[in-house]
Amino acid sequence: MSLRRFPRGVYDHGAEPDPRFTLANERTFLAWIRTSLALVAGGVALEALHLPVQSGLRLAASLVLLALGLVVPPLAWRGWAVAERAMRRGEPLPSSSGARLALVVGVTAVALLLVLGTALR
């Protein structure tokens, strides 16, 4: 009896790759999930701790962190699936995922908001 693996869109392609590469891909995915959890925690902490930052800009920074925490997991899932599918097909690995760009832009925006919010308090 053959068990179907989820997601079929990944596992129904190509041949089983070296387990070390599959496990490394999974570890990368889990690192993105940990990053997402940290973003959510940071967004909650900014508002919960009432840091001495101008309140409107603090709220904006908090919302950006929470939004990133929501956006990163689906991008990480997509990145994992694309890389796994490429390994199974023996194709070159894809370029950087969109999660990296979202993280760079978002964290930069948060830093700018907090610097501005600190200067304006």
Side-chain angles (χ1 to χ4, degrees):
M1 178 175 143
S2 169
L3 295 176
R4 303 295 285 179
R5 290 169 71 190
F6 175 80
R8 287 186 191 173
V10 171
Y11 291 114
D12 282 353
H13 296 275
E16 194 72 25
D18 185 325
R20 294 173 294 178
F21 302 131
T22 294
L23 293 172
N25 192 28
E26 288 181 14
R27 284 190 302 274
T28 301
F29 169 75
L30 292 172
W32 280 109
I33 297 303
R34 286 189 302 273
T35 299
S36 175
L37 288 169
L39 291 166
V40 169
V44 170
L46 267 179
E47 278 304 300
L49 297 176
H50 299 289
L51 298 175
V53 175
Q54 198 274 334
S55 63
L57 294 175
R58 185 182 66 226
L59 176 61
S62 178
L63 291 173
V64 171
L65 287 171
L66 291 170
L68 283 172
L70 285 170
V71 168
V72 168
L75 292 174
W77 175 266
R78 184 182 178 284
W80 167 82
V82 168
E84 187 68 23
R85 198 175 300 119
M87 287 189 297
R88 296 179 72 79
R89 292 177 173 169
E91 297 171 350
L93 292 176
S95 62
S96 299
S97 79
R100 290 181 187 159
L101 180 59
L103 199 58
V104 167
V105 170
V107 170
T108 300
V110 167
L112 291 172
L113 287 167
L114 292 176
V115 166
L116 187 58
T118 301
L120 294 177
R121 65 181 162 113

